Amino acid sequence: MKLVVVSAGLSVPSSTRLLADRLAQAVQRREPADVQVVELRDLAVEIAHNLTNGFPAGKLAAALEAVTAADGLIVVTPVFSASYSGLFKSFFDVLDQEALAGKPVLIAATGGSARHSLVLEHALRPLFSYLRAVVVPTAVYAASEDWGAQGLPERIERAAGELVALTAGLSAPAAPPGPEKPAAGGFTVVPFAEQLAALAGR
């Protein structure tokens, strides 16, 4: 599994990066994963240049390629002005619009107060739904008081499990077409078109 973690934290050390690392570790406990971390702080200048000239360069081009090729993503942003950071949004603005189509994404955010937790549902989930990603049901928000408290580790584990399950489900090969096979319980699944044809022949 190729897992790419996008962290938009600006400070060093960063609670945003800490949350990103814990989410990635929770995924790795469930599924062997090749993890690559993209620190947007290090790409800020190249992202700005890409917005003005339309061409990604150097490290930014490699980061965009990694995101496009990933089997799954973990994206974490600090909350600024009740939404995701401008740097976070700018990175996904320069990403090809088709890059995330059908890709499993775990969304997460950090902030100084629990009052900003709805940023996950009001800002991040709509953004990635617009990009046609498949967003896991459990989003993870960590306020300052959440670190070391009950609740956060459980949310991290649940979200990681959902990402692994979703990635495995989307990458599973489709069953080849063939004759009807008995389903669980001994029932036979008959395609609806065949049922209509049989009724029309009566």
Side-chain angles (χ1 to χ4, degrees), residues 86-193:
L87 180 60
F88 182 86
K89 179 62 162 56
S90 295
F91 177 77
F92 289 101
D93 282 343
V94 301
L95 183 69
D96 186 276
Q97 288 193 349
E98 300 297 318
L100 298 187
K103 195 180 298 295
V105 176
L106 191 168
I107 57 174
T110 58
S113 167
R115 293 194 302 271
H116 294 303
S117 61
L118 287 178
V119 70
L120 294 166
E121 304 303 327
H122 291 175
L124 269 76
R125 196 176 296 276
L127 170 64
F128 289 96
S129 294
Y130 173 78
L131 295 172
R132 295 188 292 136
V134 183
V135 184
V136 303
T138 300
V140 181
Y141 180 83
S144 299
E145 62 267 25
D146 289 328
W147 298 103
Q150 290 185 342
L152 180 58
E154 290 78 8
R155 294 197 302 274
I156 288 173
E157 293 297 330
R158 184 167 63 248
E162 291 171 355
L163 180 63
V164 170
L166 191 56
T167 302
L170 291 177
S171 63
E180 299 87 359
K181 297 180 180 179
F187 297 102
T188 299
V189 178
V190 179
F192 184 65

Side-chain angles (χ1 to χ4, degrees), residues 28-61:
Q28 287 180 305
R29 285 194 290 270
R30 289 166 170 77
E31 178 77 14
D34 178 14
V35 179
Q36 179 175 346
V37 178
V38 175
E39 282 278 12
L40 298 187
R41 179 185 64 246
D42 300 333
L43 302 174
V45 173
E46 292 185 23
I47 290 172
H49 287 165
N50 192 172
L51 287 170
T52 56
N53 63 29
F55 296 100
K59 294 179 180 179
L60 175 59

